Amino acid sequence: MSHTFDASAATPRQVRQLAKGFTARLTGRTERGTDRKVRRHSVDVDDRRAQVFRRIGDGSLADAKGWIECLMQTVSEWDDQERKRGGGRMLGFHGLRVLETLLGLRGVIAVDFRTGRLEPAIDTIARVACIARGTVIRALARLKAMKILDWVRRTQRTGRDGLFGPQREQISNAYFLTPELLPRRVAQRLRDLVARKRLRRAGTTPPTAAPPPPQAQNSELRDAIARLGAGVDARSRGESASPPCGQYPRAGVQG
């Protein structure tokens, strides 16, 4: 029987343990292919399994930027909520910094919103985020453990067919966001934020309940207004302002 990892119910320790496994696989420390410079489970850049990019938002600049802002707000709130429950942060400062960097919020890494193409090298992420390479790898592993994003390792041919030396070389990972895998309450929060932002951008606002009418301070005046309102409502329905003595027409009970 298979078991799935529930990030919403996991403790920070469990997330760290799972992240260590992702880190080991990301760095290739546990598994290697026949070519020691190519990590196992990598696929060719032109292989259909490497075509994992997904459009962000509706693909337009305005909607994609709004969607990314909502994602960052949702993830930050989730991280804060987990800390307030008494445990450590599941993602933390470096995780948020790496996510910001990947999504182009730090102004250097370009994201193709229409196709979702996202393939920066780890060294590039580290340089833009101003953190160490190892820290980036651990942050990516946590993002994957929390089901915020995922990636596919890719290779390409070296063009040295028939010659000594590696026939393939490792290239940057293909990253893609996985909002559909987030815990239900987190995913719902993201959808709500995105819907509100789209309504505001369209010039409309979500429906809100009408404020209650002001109440008179004097109790006798309030009672008089209430009786007057009841009379108006009754007349509008074609009823008598006051029910016959000893009868309660609405309840159907005879006195």
Side-chain angles (χ1 to χ4, degrees), residues 8-252:
S8 64
T11 65
R13 181 179 179 182
Q14 290 173 323
V15 171
R16 288 194 295 270
Q17 289 174 340
L18 188 60
K20 286 182 180 179
F22 288 139
T23 300
R25 291 195 290 273
L26 182 63
T27 57
R29 291 177 182 174
T30 58
E31 301 179 11
R32 293 292 183 90
T34 53
D35 187 336
R36 293 184 60 83
K37 292 187 177 181
V38 173
R39 299 184 180 92
R40 186 172 294 181
H41 305 306
S42 296
V43 298
D44 186 84
V45 65
D46 295 322
D47 191 296
R48 66 178 181 80
R49 292 171 294 175
Q51 313 310 311
V52 295
F53 301 121
R54 303 175 179 180
R55 184 178 63 184
I56 298 178
D58 65 6
S60 67
L61 177 63
D63 192 74
K65 284 189 172 182
W67 193 93
I68 289 172
E69 289 175 4
C70 293
L71 176 65
M72 291 303 308
Q73 180 178 340
T74 301
V75 170
S76 298
E77 291 175 353
W78 184 17
D79 201 43
D80 288 339
Q81 290 167 3
E82 294 303 321
R83 180 184 63 81
K84 291 177 181 178
R85 289 180 180 179
R89 290 185 179 275
M90 299 178 70
L91 191 55
F93 171 79
H94 290 132
L96 293 171
R97 174 68 69 88
V98 167
L99 184 58
E100 287 178 348
T101 302
L102 266 174
L103 296 178
L105 295 179
R106 304 196 68 82
V108 176
I109 291 178
V111 184
D112 187 335
F113 301 134
R114 184 178 60 81
T115 64
R117 193 173 190 85
L118 190 59
E119 52 187 355
I122 290 178
D123 288 336
T124 301
I125 299 172
R127 175 174 54 81
V128 176
C130 299
I131 54 181
R133 175 186 171 87
T135 304
V136 171
I137 291 174
R138 289 190 292 273
L140 286 171
R142 285 197 172 196
L143 288 163
K144 183 172 183 176
M146 295 176 68
K147 302 186 183 300
I148 297 170
L149 59 76
D150 204 342
W151 61 80
V152 171
R153 293 200 198 98
R154 302 182 301 171
T155 61
Q156 66 182 8
R157 295 185 178 277
T158 61
R160 299 172 182 171
D161 294 345
L163 301 176
F164 291 107
Q167 302 299 299
R168 309 196 68 81
E169 61 184 358
Q170 201 79 38
I171 62 172
S172 64
N173 299 326
Y175 297 94
F176 57 100
L177 299 167
T178 55
E180 73 282 1
L181 299 181
L182 291 171
R184 183 177 299 177
R185 63 181 178 83
V186 180
Q188 185 60 53
R189 173 61 172 164
L190 174 59
R191 287 192 292 268
D192 290 345
L193 289 175
V194 170
R196 291 175 189 173
K197 186 173 285 292
R198 286 173 175 169
L199 284 172
R200 287 196 296 268
R201 192 166 58 250
T204 59
T205 56
T208 57
Q215 297 293 322
Q217 298 298 319
N218 184 282
S219 60
E220 294 182 358
L221 180 57
R222 285 200 303 270
D223 293 341
I225 293 174
R227 289 195 299 271
L228 178 61
V232 171
D233 290 341
R235 283 193 295 272
S236 66
R237 293 191 298 268
E239 301 174 359
S240 173
S242 300
C245 181
Q247 295 184 0
Y248 301 87
R250 293 185 182 178

